[in-house]
Every structure is written in C-alpha cells, then in structure tokens.
Amino acid sequence: MITTYIGIGSNIEPEKHVKAAIDELKLLGSITQISTVYEAEPVGFLSNNFFNLVAELEVTCSLSELAARLRAIELKWGRLPDAQKNQDRTLDLDILLYGDVISNNDPKLPREDLFKFAFAILPLVELNPDLIVPGTKTTISEIWNHFTHNQSLKPALINLRS
C-alpha cells in the first residue's frame, strides 16, 4: 500500500462535487483521513470561492494509474477536458504526495502547491504535521510556519457524512 495525499477543490456546486470526490476516492483505495473542508478565495482570478480539502488515501495502484483515474473522475463530474489554469472547476483532484516519490514528470511530485498555497498546506498540516516532504528535510508544519499567509481560509459548513 502507498500513502497518497489528494487535494480536492471545487467552486461550481462545491458541496455536491466535494462529496462526489470523497465517494469516488473510496473506490480507489482506503481513505484513512479527511481534513477540514476550507472555503478559500480563488487565486489568480475573480470568481466564486472554492471548497478545498485533502484526503489521505491508501492505494495499491501505480502513480500513473492513479493520475489517470483521478483525471477520469474529474471529467465524469463535469470538468472540461481543455480546462485552463485559473478557471472555475466542478472538480479538481491533485496528487500532492505519493509515498516518498519525487518526480519531475507529470505529475510533478511533491506538488508545488505544497509550497505555494494555503489551501493545500493547511489541510495537510491538519492530517500529518510531522510529515517530511520528500526531497526536503522539512516537515509540512515547518512549511506552514514559514509560509506567508496571503489567502483567506475559513472552515466551510459542509457535512461530508450525508
């Protein structure tokens, strides 16, 4: 089993799509933890706020298979095949970490979001603050403690159990 951390985001019917993402991830492996769902302002464009969270998932599939399956889930739930960066999303599923894999290919790991965006860092701190980010000697909580908090995050009022 490989422990992977998946970033989940949506700003189009976000409650519906976040719940759908959790249900779909359960079909890929065993979800061991889910962070708080945070409401976050979009970064780089003006639009509706996003719901963001991170799920810790135990999987047996390869990295390439996981990436393909996450892409298929995004498309199933209405993401446009040619979606651009800084655009509204029904569902965005990003592999933040996949075990201790470091990759410069697609998907790049560890994902750069772990060093750039509060919506990726804070939920991971919540799940595993002492996790050392592969390729660094730094824990995720150390990254958070040195991070310039330039994005407003607040817990979203969403019940993932229903």
Side-chain angles (χ1 to χ4, degrees):
M1 295 291 260
I2 301 280
T3 301
T4 185
Y5 293 90
I6 308 298
I8 302 167
S10 174
N11 77 333
I12 298 174
E13 296 183 83
E15 186 167 344
K16 169 187 168 182
H17 290 109
V18 163
K19 288 178 179 181
I22 297 299
D23 289 342
E24 294 281 358
L25 290 178
K26 288 177 182 175
L27 301 174
L28 299 182
S30 175
I31 294 179
T32 51
Q33 297 187 83
I34 300 173
S35 75
T36 300
V37 178
Y38 292 96
E39 185 174 344
E41 298 168 342
V43 176
F45 68 111
L46 296 174
S47 190
N48 299 321
N49 286 352
F50 278 80
F51 280 9
N52 293 98
L53 67 150
V54 171
E56 181 184 81
L57 187 64
E58 297 287 332
V59 297
T60 57
C61 58
S62 69
L63 176 58
S64 60
E65 182 182 349
L66 179 61
R69 291 177 76 180
L70 294 177
R71 178 75 171 149
I73 293 167
E74 291 174 337
L75 295 172
K76 174 182 175 180
W77 286 95
R79 180 167 173 162
L80 300 175
D82 60 347
Q84 303 299 308
K85 188 176 173 117
N86 298 335
Q87 185 177 1
D88 293 325
R89 300 270 192 259
T90 54
L91 194 54
D92 192 23
L93 301 172
D94 296 319
I95 303 169
L96 302 175
L97 296 169
Y98 179 85
D100 58 3
V101 170
I102 299 169
S103 172
N104 290 318
N105 299 320
D106 192 23
K108 286 185 79 172
L109 295 174
R111 189 168 176 90
E112 291 179 2
D113 292 3
L114 292 178
F115 305 96
K116 295 167 55 174
F117 301 118
F119 63 78
I121 305 167
L122 183 58
L124 193 52
V125 167
E126 183 183 322
L127 298 181
N128 194 345
D130 297 324
L131 177 69
I132 296 173
V133 176
T136 75
K137 295 181 180 178
T138 309
T139 66
I140 195 68
S141 60
E142 289 171 329
I143 292 170
W144 179 250
N145 291 336
H146 294 99
F147 183 71
T148 302
H149 304 272
N150 58 357
Q151 183 184 32
S152 171
L153 294 180
K154 63 181 179 182
L157 301 176
I158 177 174
N159 180 2
L160 294 178
R161 305 213 192 299
S162 59

